[in-house]
Amino acid sequence: MVKILANDGIAPEGQAILEDAGFEVDTNKIPQEELTGRLNGYDAIIVRSATLVTKEVIDSAPNLKAIGRAGVGLDNIDVAHARRKGIEVINTPDASSLSVAELVFAHIFTMSRFLHLSNHEMRTGGEFKALKKKYSKGIELREKTLGIIGLGRIGQETAKIALGLGMEVVAFDPQVKRVFLDMDHLDITPTPEMVIETTSKEEVLERCDFLTLHVPFKAGSDSLLSKKDFSLMKNTVIVINCSRGGVVHEQELIEALDQKQIAFAGLDVFENEPVVNPALLGHQNISVSPHIGGSTIEAQERVGVEIAKKIVRHFQG
């Protein structure tokens, strides 16, 4: 019998698929520091972002045949070492794309209408009329320009929402020249597809009113957005990072906000998690969320189903 450890949990729908296929599923979490001594009996491990599947963990599990990442990124798995040992590495790149894209707009709406500030001040004794005057200069999204860096699955879902809101989209992706968006669910053009032609990073930075990033990032790499990039942008721009911590240089982001080179930022991911930087967490012009981009009920169900089907396919062909 194939035995699987779902160390960071799995949606009931996904667990049912595995068990219906005759697999044994263990959802009892093994602490990270104990993993190297307790994986001998498992044929596969499924993780989310919490568990690290390092070289040492892989080497301690001689029976391991598959590693499943219930999510998009693989930065918590030593993919190269796993593949050198003939272990299949599986992820779910489609399942949470819409959830992340919607969180991007949650941050955009929050910053556009000062919701993070007005919510707090109304609850802590702020005078109603004064707050109404203070927060009466929000902006609308229609006819504004959304800049997207990284036009993969999440970037495309974000573009669809933007187009549905009447925004213009300008995008940069060194791997992509153009994409054809399936717009069947939106009645905004006479045809079912919308074409986005990519341009240079510099043009995106110069033109955008809002900027969102959807790119991979390896620890130790240079940040994709830093001081020189902020200097190219409008001083009214709102920057959103629901991608990877480190993609945006946090200290230089704070400096750009303080120097009014940019207006606001929304962050779901951070250079170090859990984040404790008081200059970031306490900044009036930053909206924060605790790395929840793909964490919706619907996304977790899709992720669980997709990873389960792929695991079954791997073992049963």
Side-chain angles (χ1 to χ4, degrees):
M1 177 183 290
V2 174
K3 188 172 182 180
I4 297 172
L5 173 65
N7 206 48
D8 297 327
I10 186 171
E13 296 83 358
Q15 183 171 346
I17 289 171
L18 293 169
E19 291 175 344
D20 289 346
F23 298 175
E24 180 181 340
V25 181
D26 183 357
T27 58
N28 294 309
K29 185 175 181 64
I30 299 176
Q32 183 69 47
E33 62 272 15
E34 298 178 21
L35 273 178
T36 54
R38 296 177 58 183
L39 289 182
N40 285 346
Y42 296 100
D43 299 285
I45 181 172
I46 297 173
V47 301
R48 293 182 183 171
S49 58
T51 299
L52 305 180
V53 188
T54 62
K55 178 180 182 296
E56 293 71 26
V57 169
I58 293 168
D59 288 341
S60 73
N63 297 320
L64 204 62
K65 303 174 185 66
I67 300 169
R69 166 69 164 94
V72 180
L74 295 171
D75 31 347
N76 58 324
I77 299 170
D78 192 331
V79 177
H81 187 65
R83 288 174 176 164
R84 280 195 297 269
K85 299 196 71 170
I87 299 170
E88 184 77 8
V89 180
I90 302 165
N91 68 338
T92 58
D94 297 316
S96 60
S97 297
L98 178 59
S99 296
V100 177
E102 289 187 354
L103 184 64
V104 168
F105 278 91
H107 278 288
I108 287 176
F109 282 119
T110 292
M111 308 307 287
S112 297
R113 301 303 296 271
F114 315 111
L115 298 183
H116 67 304
L117 298 175
S118 62
N119 185 285
H120 173 73
E121 292 188 43
M122 286 186 69
R123 294 170 183 269
T124 54
E127 199 276 320
F128 188 87
K129 288 185 177 180
L131 292 179
K132 181 176 180 179
K133 182 177 180 180
K134 181 178 181 180
Y135 296 123
S136 64
K137 295 182 179 179
I139 58 173
E140 297 178 356
L141 273 59
R142 184 176 296 275
E143 297 184 356
K144 301 298 193 302
T145 298
L146 176 68
I148 302 176
I149 295 181
L151 204 53
R153 294 174 180 86
I154 298 174
Q156 291 178 38
E157 288 294 337
T158 306
K160 291 179 186 181
I161 297 174
L163 293 171
L165 290 167
M167 302 180 76
E168 181 183 357
V169 173
V170 57
F172 165 72
D173 190 318
Q175 307 300 319
V176 178
K177 290 185 177 181
R178 68 178 60 85
V179 296
F180 297 86
L181 299 178
D182 176 4
M183 302 298 291
D184 283 343
H185 65 303
L186 295 174
D187 184 21
I188 64 171
T189 65
T191 61
E193 293 179 333
M194 180 69 73
V195 181
I196 297 180
E197 303 275 353
T198 58
T199 185
S200 67
K201 177 183 174 184
E202 290 73 21
E203 182 175 351
V204 170
L205 297 179
E206 291 169 358
R207 289 179 55 190
C208 68
D209 299 300
F210 306 88
L211 181 71
T212 181
L213 303 100
H214 301 289
V215 295
F217 186 76
K218 185 176 182 180
S221 302
D222 292 336
S223 297
L224 185 65
L225 208 65
S226 56
K227 183 176 182 178
K228 66 180 186 301
D229 303 301
F230 297 127
S231 68
L232 298 175
M233 304 169 76
K234 301 175 184 178
N235 60 12
T236 55
V237 77
I238 296 175
V239 174
I240 309 295
N241 185 16
C242 293
S243 177
R244 289 286 181 270
V247 169
V248 177
H249 193 294
E250 288 179 3
Q251 183 55 42
E252 293 179 3
L253 171 71
I254 292 170
E255 292 170 2
L257 289 165
D258 290 342
Q259 295 166 12
K260 301 188 184 306
Q261 287 184 308
I262 63 172
F264 296 101
L267 304 176
D268 184 53
V269 291
F270 306 90
E271 291 176 2
N272 297 294
E273 296 183 7
V275 59
V276 294
N277 184 349
L280 189 153
L281 292 176
H283 204 290
Q284 291 285 292
N285 291 352
I286 299 178
S287 168
V288 294
S289 55
H291 201 152
I292 55 171
S295 300
T296 61
I297 294 170
E298 296 86 351
Q300 291 309 308
E301 180 179 327
R302 291 193 299 267
V303 164
V305 168
E306 185 177 340
I307 197 67
K309 288 181 177 179
K310 288 184 174 182
I311 291 286
V312 170
R313 193 177 306 126
H314 172 72
F315 282 100
Q316 295 185 347

